[in-house]
Amino acid sequence: MKNAKILVINGPNLNMVGIREPGVYGNKSLSEINSSINTYAGGMKITCDFFQSNCEGEIIDKIQSVLTDYDGCIINAGAYTHYSYAIRDAIAAVNKPFIEVHMSNIAAREEFRHNSVIAAVCKGSIAGFGMHSYLLAINAIRDLI
């Protein structure tokens, strides 16, 4: 496989992992999780860029950049997963593989978290494995690129 370049997008409140609900999201900070992703992906000759924002429009702009700058994208859209048709449409407009990721098992949480509006435009979804959800997504995206 050629060297690949992917973008890892994290949405609202994911900058607070390690602090926010550690029983759900674990004790590692987002920078620690990103470092683990980077090390794991590097072993597969995948370069990762990381982006986190609490703002929907900024996330949409980054999704659109995947079209020209990346081979694929791993996205944890946070709460936007459940209602952002704008993010869904941005993913649909980019002809690159996207993997939806969630650290918690969204199907086992509050009912409003059970529906993902972005799932239908992603190649697949991985949820419930904490930070390891991202590493599983690296394996999946490697096979799709």
Side-chain angles (χ1 to χ4, degrees), residues 1-13:
M1 181 182 97
K2 70 174 180 106
N3 289 352
K5 185 176 179 185
I6 66 165
L7 178 62
V8 179
I9 297 175
N10 281 287
N13 297 311

Side-chain angles (χ1 to χ4, degrees), residues 40 44 46 74 134-144:
Y40 188 76
M44 296 180 204
I46 298 172
I74 294 169
Y134 293 96
L135 305 182
L136 293 168
I138 293 290
N139 291 327
I141 207 154
R142 176 199 61 208
D143 293 341
L144 292 169

Side-chain angles (χ1 to χ4, degrees), residues 67-134:
L67 183 63
T68 56
D69 299 341
Y70 298 95
D71 297 305
C73 183
I74 294 169
I75 184 166
N76 183 341
Y80 288 135
T81 297
H82 314 293
Y83 66 88
S84 179
Y85 294 104
I87 288 176
R88 182 220 179 273
D89 289 349
I91 293 169
V94 176
N95 191 23
K96 299 283 178 81
F98 277 72
I99 305 292
E100 175 186 14
V101 165
H102 299 282
M103 294 174 70
S104 68
N105 180 355
I106 60 175
R109 295 189 65 197
E110 303 91 342
E111 188 171 332
F112 75 89
R113 296 186 196 274
H114 295 182
N115 183 51
S116 168
V117 299
I118 68 170
V121 293
C122 291
K123 293 290 185 183
S125 301
I126 300 170
F129 299 100
M131 69 156 282
H132 297 288
S133 293
Y134 293 96

Side-chain angles (χ1 to χ4, degrees), residues 18-95:
I19 299 167
R20 174 188 174 212
E21 299 180 78
V24 175
Y25 299 104
N27 294 316
K28 289 190 175 188
S29 69
L30 185 58
S31 64
E32 290 171 310
I33 292 169
N34 288 347
S35 179
S36 294
I37 295 167
N38 205 37
T39 299
Y40 188 76
M44 296 180 204
K45 297 184 179 168
I46 298 172
T47 301
C48 297
D49 285 343
F50 299 93
F51 178 76
Q52 188 280 324
S53 179
N54 296 319
C55 301
E56 186 178 32
E58 291 176 0
I59 293 169
I60 291 166
D61 289 342
K62 273 313 237 192
I63 288 168
Q64 291 174 356
S65 78
V66 173
L67 183 63
T68 56
D69 299 341
Y70 298 95
D71 297 305
C73 183
I74 294 169
I75 184 166
N76 183 341
Y80 288 135
T81 297
H82 314 293
Y83 66 88
S84 179
Y85 294 104
I87 288 176
R88 182 220 179 273
D89 289 349
I91 293 169
V94 176
N95 191 23

